[in-house]
Amino acid sequence: MVLPDPEPAGTPTGASAGPVVERLAEARRRVRAAAEAAGRDPAEVRILLATKTMPPEVIAQALAAGATLIGENRVQEVLAKADALAGFPHTMHFIGHLQSNKVNQLLPHIQCLQTLDSVDLIGRLQSRLESAARNLDVFIQVNVSGEQTKSGIAPADAREMVEAVAAAPRLRLRGFMTIGLNSPDRDAIRRGYRALATIRDRAADEQWPGAQDAVELSMGMSGDFADAIAEGATIVRLGSAVFGPRPAR
């Protein structure tokens, strides 16, 4: 069973709390409410803080308030923030597209890669992990929307990809990840999330080799996480819901 980020009894609220702490508390309430509305146990859903463009001192406010799971989209940001965040207990997931030539730089700083999307990348990771004598949790990224601007494998290729991960003993498949359809059509967005849940469930029901621990579904962001939770998300990736609007680039 997955566990939610702890919400310490002493978490400040009201006028004495900073905006990040207040928004984190509100995000937790909204995630719990969405899970309960879907008839699910709120303990089944974790919040991953999407920290792209956020400076370490802002991220540290959320970590000090009890958040433990964060995700970065860019290798250079992982490297730039690593020292400043080292004093705060946390788990780092990489949630952006990973180029093979960045693997060596990234691996020492992450505990999970959520965007595994090619056999070539599997080979590169396996080789580097073998040299380092360590393992890595991974999610397979699936492009359920079919949008050409999004990374991820086609749903039809999911079984082949699972079997490729199973052949790499240093990789531990923990689940599947997707980025929702960019559309105002909530029904269409939910169909995509339902498709990812179907892949996860088929992998379990049909006992795909290597999928025995692939129970997680990372899907849903600040604008649509309630729909993702209704379709089975176990991790929702929240950025602006906690940190506010990102600064203009």
Side-chain angles (χ1 to χ4, degrees):
M1 176 181 292
V2 296
L3 298 175
D5 291 336
E7 186 169 354
T11 297
T13 57
S16 63
V20 170
V21 175
E22 291 175 343
R23 286 192 291 259
L24 176 60
E26 176 61 18
R28 285 169 167 157
R29 285 192 289 269
R30 292 174 63 196
V31 166
R32 281 199 302 270
E36 290 167 353
R40 298 181 59 197
D41 181 351
E44 296 175 352
V45 186
R46 289 185 289 168
I47 294 174
L48 178 147
L49 299 182
T51 51
K52 180 176 69 174
T53 76
M54 291 296 114
E57 58 269 22
V58 174
I59 302 169
Q61 294 176 40
L63 296 177
T68 59
L69 182 59
I70 63 178
E72 284 285 353
N73 289 69
R74 300 177 181 133
V75 173
Q76 59 266 37
E77 288 200 56
V78 174
L79 303 180
K81 300 171 188 179
D83 288 345
L85 298 178
F88 296 90
H90 66 278
T91 300
M92 173 65 77
H93 287 206
F94 192 70
I95 57 174
H97 180 68
L98 178 60
Q99 297 175 327
S100 292
N101 63 356
K102 301 287 187 180
V103 165
N104 289 357
Q105 294 174 279
L106 181 65
L107 279 181
H109 302 285
I110 66 170
Q111 288 74 53
C112 180
L113 172 68
Q114 288 202 13
T115 52
L116 189 61
D117 64 354
S118 75
V119 174
D120 286 345
L121 184 55
I122 290 173
R124 177 67 171 170
L125 289 167
Q126 169 62 25
S127 176
R128 184 67 186 91
L129 290 163
E130 190 64 42
S131 297
R134 60 165 289 203
N135 298 328
L136 181 70
D137 290 346
V138 296
F139 289 36
I140 292 172
Q141 183 175 3
V142 184
N143 185 352
V144 296
S145 71
E147 294 169 280
Q148 294 185 353
T149 55
K150 289 184 169 65
S151 299
I153 65 167
D157 296 332
R159 179 162 188 158
E160 179 181 354
M161 193 68 171
V162 169
E163 292 175 351
V165 175
R170 290 291 178 179
L171 300 182
R172 301 180 297 196
L173 183 61
R174 298 305 192 193
F176 302 88
M177 177 266 207
T178 197
I179 299 172
L181 177 68
N182 183 15
S183 170
D185 186 343
R186 288 182 58 188
D187 288 339
I189 294 169
R190 285 189 61 159
R191 283 196 297 273
Y193 291 149
R194 197 174 308 134
L196 192 71
T198 297
I199 290 171
R200 190 268 313 268
D201 294 345
R202 279 189 59 209
D205 293 344
E206 299 175 8
Q207 299 183 346
W208 295 359
Q212 61 273 11
D213 296 319
V215 297
E216 303 271 15
L217 292 175
S218 175
M219 57 190 193
M221 295 187 287
S222 293
D224 63 2
F225 68 82
D227 289 328
I229 290 171
E231 296 298 341
T234 65
I235 295 176
V236 291
R237 307 184 301 273
L238 305 186
S240 60
V242 174
F243 298 112
R246 287 191 169 89
R249 295 183 64 181

